[in-house]
Amino acid sequence: MGALKGKHIVLGITGGIAAYKSAALLRLFVKAGAEVQVVMTPAAKEFITPVTLSALSGKPVVSEFFTANTGEWHSHVDLGLWADAMVIAPATACTIAKMANGVADNMLVTTYLSAREPVFVAPAMDLDMMAHPSTTRNLDLLRSYGNHIIEPAEGELASHLVGKGRMEEPEGIFRYLEEYFERREAASPLKGRKVLITGGPTVERIDPVRYISNFSTGKMAFALADEAVRRGAEVTVVAGPTTAAPSHKGVKVVRVESALEMLAACRGEFPGSDVAIMCAAVADYRVKNQAATKIKREGHEPPALELVANPDIAATLGAEKRPGQILVGFALETDNGPANALGKMERKNLDMVVLNSLADKGAGFATDTNRVAIFRRGAEEPMTFPLKPKTEVAADILNAIESL
Ligand code: C5P
């Protein structure tokens, strides 16, 4: 109880018959002590008036990008940053399709694209629209982005047809959010702990313009960082070159380029850390003699690159580990996964290994989803999980770390 007190909620309302129920949902949020900002699509105003909603929320409803007569600009970016949660109820097939594809032609969808915290979607539509493959695909896309879909119920619809498509009742949506925040804020063993995470690739220069690297994007590392901060941990990510970034403002990011730089940064952070998660795809080799100037093609034979082994960062930290520190590694394998995972646990003195197989569709590099098995020291059997968004995989991994 009380998990929504003081929370900032953006309530998105779209143009469906169920919009009349949004007023009851808004009332429940306000009664629970949340601050609510309503964002409506233009079509929603045909179903419920902004006057009702602004009176209940105590804030003017936002619908357009700016107020026509004063030119006042409504910033979807500020609203996205302000929100602890965004709830779209009802969500029509049209808005779901726009969200899935980033069609930012109204204030509601732009706010959605700017929202950093969890998004909850309560679809409401007629049964055939709900069952249409395009709706199914769009909802799957939203799930893959880590959004929460509050499934519609079966029952009589506004069309008098009976089937799946009735928006979940306001009480049900309210409870869904309340339970989500209760679970998230339940005292986590990670609260107040220092967590070090490596992520992304490393880049090993050949000359000033060329390099050796790999396809890692760092998405898994930043998903872990966001989730650990939500659980109250103090998180530092040492990240190789990647465009990915954490969503949570509380994550400290140290940017590095090469494996040697990553090792130096980790050695500085590790002694003060309680948990270290080695998520980076560190290049195994670097070029022995980096050229100081650009290697020329004209009039030269193809150069032979002499490679030397990079240090193993996980193994280095494993050798320096103090009792009580937890060190977690990843294993990305194409074959013999479990045996390799257990071998790494021994060799690098890890406490846990997260195995993902490149053979699994949707797992590994540059996807938003992952399918993992978790091996814990001393446990007979690995924990196995289905294919999930990386945000949810991050929660599974941190649950496993908490269990240690
Ligand atoms: O030996 P392999 O590269 O498969 O091990 C993967 C695990 O070891 C990952 O956790 C990775 O982050 C870590 N690693 C490392 N430094 C290296 C190579 C791997 O920290 N040089």
Side-chain angles (χ1 to χ4, degrees):
M1 292 297 273
L4 295 181
K5 193 165 190 295
K7 289 280 182 307
H8 294 170
I9 297 177
V10 170
L11 175 57
I13 304 178
T14 71
I17 307 287
Y20 76 92
K21 295 186 182 175
S22 307
L25 178 60
L26 166 53
R27 189 85 193 96
L28 288 170
F29 286 145
V30 170
K31 266 170 100 174
E35 255 187 79
V36 184
Q37 173 64 60
V38 174
V39 181
M40 300 175 88
T41 60
K45 294 191 209 160
E46 306 291 336
F47 293 86
I48 181 165
T49 97
V51 178
T52 305
L53 299 163
S54 65
L56 290 176
S57 66
K59 289 182 198 295
V61 164
V62 177
S63 182
E64 312 298 335
F65 291 109
F66 56 88
T67 307
N69 55 347
T70 62
E72 186 196 353
W73 170 251
H74 306 295
S75 169
H76 55 90
V77 177
D78 289 348
L79 209 47
L81 291 175
W82 175 84
D84 295 311
M86 180 167 184
V87 187
I88 296 125
T92 56
C94 173
T95 291
I96 289 168
K98 287 183 183 178
M99 289 166 66
N101 295 289
V103 181
D105 67 347
N106 64 35
M107 187 67 188
L108 190 149
V109 181
T110 45
T111 304
Y112 163 70
L113 293 177
S114 304
R116 292 185 168 189
E117 290 294 324
V119 177
F120 302 83
V121 182
M125 64 196 81
D126 209 54
L127 76 170
D128 293 308
M129 294 175 82
M130 187 66 207
H132 197 281
S134 73
T135 306
T136 306
R137 190 203 55 186
N138 288 331
L139 285 171
D140 282 345
L141 280 172
L142 294 186
R143 281 190 198 92
S144 77
Y145 309 154
N147 300 158
H148 302 261
I149 309 300
I150 305 177
E151 290 291 337
E154 302 225 357
E156 189 180 341
L157 303 166
S159 60
H160 302 300
L161 295 172
V162 176
K164 188 173 172 182
R166 272 176 76 92
M167 185 176 84
E168 174 62 270
E169 292 302 326
E171 290 75 18
I173 298 173
F174 174 79
R175 257 199 322 277
Y176 192 105
L177 261 88
E178 196 177 46
E179 283 171 12
Y180 172 85
F181 281 104
E182 271 168 12
R183 260 199 321 277
R184 203 171 92 171
E185 283 157 23
S188 159
L190 287 171
K191 202 175 178 122
R193 304 288 183 151
K194 290 204 170 164
V195 177
L196 166 66
I197 302 174
T198 64
T202 67
V203 160
E204 312 297 336
R205 290 182 185 229
I206 299 169
D207 69 13
V209 292
R210 303 177 180 100
Y211 61 81
I212 298 172
S213 189
N214 58 64
F215 292 116
S216 172
T217 56
K219 284 183 181 172
M220 193 64 242
F222 289 121
L224 281 163
D226 286 331
E227 184 59 26
V229 166
R230 288 193 192 107
R231 294 181 188 208
E234 216 181 289
V235 182
T236 302
V237 181
V238 178
T242 157
T243 53
S247 300
H248 212 290
K249 299 175 272 294
V251 177
K252 178 180 153 198
V253 183
V254 178
R255 298 278 176 185
V256 296
E257 185 177 286
S258 64
L260 291 176
E261 286 173 20
M262 187 173 276
L263 176 66
C266 287
R267 283 187 114 165
E269 294 282 341
F270 187 59
S273 303
D274 300 294
V275 177
I277 310 176
M278 304 285 100
C279 206
V282 182
D284 289 319
Y285 306 107
R286 66 177 182 277
V287 178
K288 187 173 179 194
N289 296 311
Q290 240 184 57
T293 54
K294 187 179 170 191
I295 298 171
K296 291 278 183 288
R297 175 160 48 109
E298 297 82 12
H300 292 279
E301 288 294 303
L305 293 181
E306 194 182 343
L307 302 179
V308 290
N310 266 330
D312 189 316
I313 300 169
T316 307
L317 301 188
E320 295 172 357
K321 189 169 72 171
R322 287 181 282 105
Q325 280 183 310
I326 293 177
L327 183 60
V328 179
F330 273 69
L332 180 69
E333 302 293 338
T334 51
D335 47 55
N336 272 335
N340 285 324
L342 291 170
K344 281 188 218 310
M345 181 128 73
E346 282 316 310
R347 250 192 343 273
K348 304 186 189 210
N349 193 22
L350 307 172
D351 302 287
M352 202 174 106
V353 176
V354 181
L355 170 67
N356 45 78
S357 163
L358 270 187
D360 285 330
K361 195 164 172 287
F365 285 148
T367 65
D368 290 312
T369 52
N370 206 357
R371 186 171 155 217
V372 302
I374 298 179
F375 296 76
R376 289 167 301 168
R377 186 173 281 279
E380 294 263 311
E381 291 294 322
M383 303 160 78
T384 54
F385 300 90
L387 188 72
K388 293 180 178 196
K390 282 185 174 166
T391 47
E392 289 177 26
V393 176
D396 291 335
I397 293 171
L398 290 174
N399 289 344
I401 292 173
E402 288 181 354
S403 78
L404 294 176

